[in-house]
Amino acid sequence: MVFKKLMQAMGVGGPQVETVLHNPNTTPGGVVTGEVTIIGGQHDSEIKGVNLALKTRVEVESGDSEYHTDLEYAKLQVAGAFRLDDGARHTIPFQLSVPWEAPLTHFYGQPLRGTTVGVATELEVARAVDATDLDPIAVHPLPAQERILTAFANLGFQFRNADCEKGRIWGVHQELPFYQEIEYYPPAQYARGIKQLEVTFVSYPQSMEVVLELDKRGGVFTEGHDAFGRFTVDYATVNNTDWEQQLDSYLQQAGRRRGIF
């Protein structure tokens, strides 16, 4: 008994946590379900709580420097305080809502290089080291997002990378403190004026904002700069539009306004 108490005081032989997802695939506005199992260690433990959180890696600009950090943006308490006997197993089912603005990790079943999302499980244990678990999930596009991304592919844009940046987009309502940029190389018809295109979705239950950032090519005596375009897509009517033609028009208009074309 004395040895067990000593181990507990040193944080040795404590409980473990395992999370099993019923299906790791989801979409913005969807739900991830599963079970959290807490396995008792070599001594009785006082569990203070069990929490789940969605995390993704974001880029943070600080002054003249940049760094990356894992940002928690949705949290759910699945259990409060309880006592766990040594060697016991305690299983808790859960439903974790995925925010509408959650970044995408896959398109057409393929990973969007540069973006990952995971469900982090945190087991808070009194007088011991907290146990954690991290399970990746795949966030696939909503039908409206898939239609826009398909249109860019049909126009000849080639996927380059996808990352998340901490911050807010001017004039756009955001619930989350970061946004995702899906970056493309332009096809020949745009390459004269555009070095790179970045697409951002800010999604809501009925519609989404699409923000386009055009990285302008610099000339011999001019420095390249970014130009912005923005439009709203309604989920109910998204299939009523020729998006290849519409996106080409948006890009041409935005480029002319900024002197790109």
Side-chain angles (χ1 to χ4, degrees):
M1 180 64 70
V2 173
F3 180 65
K4 282 191 174 184
K5 288 184 177 180
L6 179 60
M7 291 176 63
Q8 183 177 11
M10 296 175 62
V12 178
Q16 297 179 331
V17 60
E18 293 180 356
T19 301
V20 176
L21 306 178
H22 294 154
N23 186 346
N25 298 286
T26 188
T27 61
V31 175
V32 175
T33 63
E35 294 179 342
V36 177
T37 299
I38 301 98
I39 305 166
Q42 300 176 34
H43 48 75
D44 297 345
S45 301
E46 296 294 334
I47 308 300
K48 297 168 63 179
V50 184
N51 302 299
L52 294 175
L54 286 177
K55 290 186 175 183
T56 196
R57 196 154 186 80
V58 302
E59 180 181 294
V60 182
E61 293 187 5
S62 178
D64 295 330
S65 63
E66 297 177 352
Y67 64 93
H68 290 83
T69 186
D70 292 329
L71 183 66
E72 178 183 293
Y73 59 93
K75 193 163 187 175
L76 172 70
Q77 184 181 57
V78 296
F82 64 94
R83 181 178 178 83
L84 184 69
D85 294 337
D86 61 318
R89 296 175 68 93
H90 186 66
T91 299
I92 310 163
F94 68 83
Q95 290 188 341
L96 177 63
S97 297
V98 178
W100 285 97
E101 296 173 33
L104 306 179
T105 65
H106 287 68
F107 179 50
Y108 283 146
Q110 299 299 313
L112 285 176
R113 184 176 58 254
T115 302
T116 58
V117 174
V119 177
T121 308
E122 181 185 70
L123 176 66
E124 298 181 67
V125 186
R127 301 180 303 280
V129 178
D130 291 348
T132 59
D133 191 18
L134 182 65
D135 297 271
I137 64 171
V139 183
H140 301 269
L142 296 166
Q145 294 172 326
E146 184 173 303
R147 180 65 188 94
I148 298 299
L149 294 175
T150 299
F152 277 116
N154 290 341
L155 286 172
F157 284 88
Q158 295 185 345
F159 173 74
R160 176 179 180 271
N161 192 52
D163 62 8
C164 296
E165 297 191 11
K166 188 175 182 181
R168 298 188 177 275
I169 303 170
W170 185 86
V172 177
H173 174 73
Q174 290 175 242
E175 296 290 338
L176 300 184
F178 70 95
Y179 56 90
Q180 182 183 38
E181 291 183 333
I182 302 174
E183 303 171 1
Y184 287 94
Y185 293 117
Q189 64 265 35
Y190 303 103
R192 177 176 58 85
I194 302 175
K195 182 170 64 175
Q196 179 177 285
L197 171 71
E198 296 174 348
V199 181
T200 294
F201 297 118
V202 182
S203 301
Y204 315 115
Q206 306 299 328
S207 65
M208 67 181 181
E209 294 293 310
V210 182
V211 180
L212 307 180
E213 183 175 343
L214 287 64
D215 189 356
K216 178 183 175 181
R217 286 191 178 278
V220 177
F221 301 108
T222 61
E223 183 179 349
H225 63 272
D226 297 333
F228 293 87
R230 176 182 141 204
F231 56 92
T232 303
V233 177
D234 182 77
Y235 300 152
T237 60
V238 64
N239 291 323
N240 298 342
T241 299
D242 181 342
W243 283 105
E244 287 76 10
Q245 182 181 45
Q246 192 68 49
L247 290 174
D248 177 70
S249 177
Y250 278 129
L251 291 172
Q252 296 290 346
Q253 290 175 17
R256 283 194 292 270
R257 285 198 304 270
R258 304 308 199 280
I260 295 177
F261 301 118

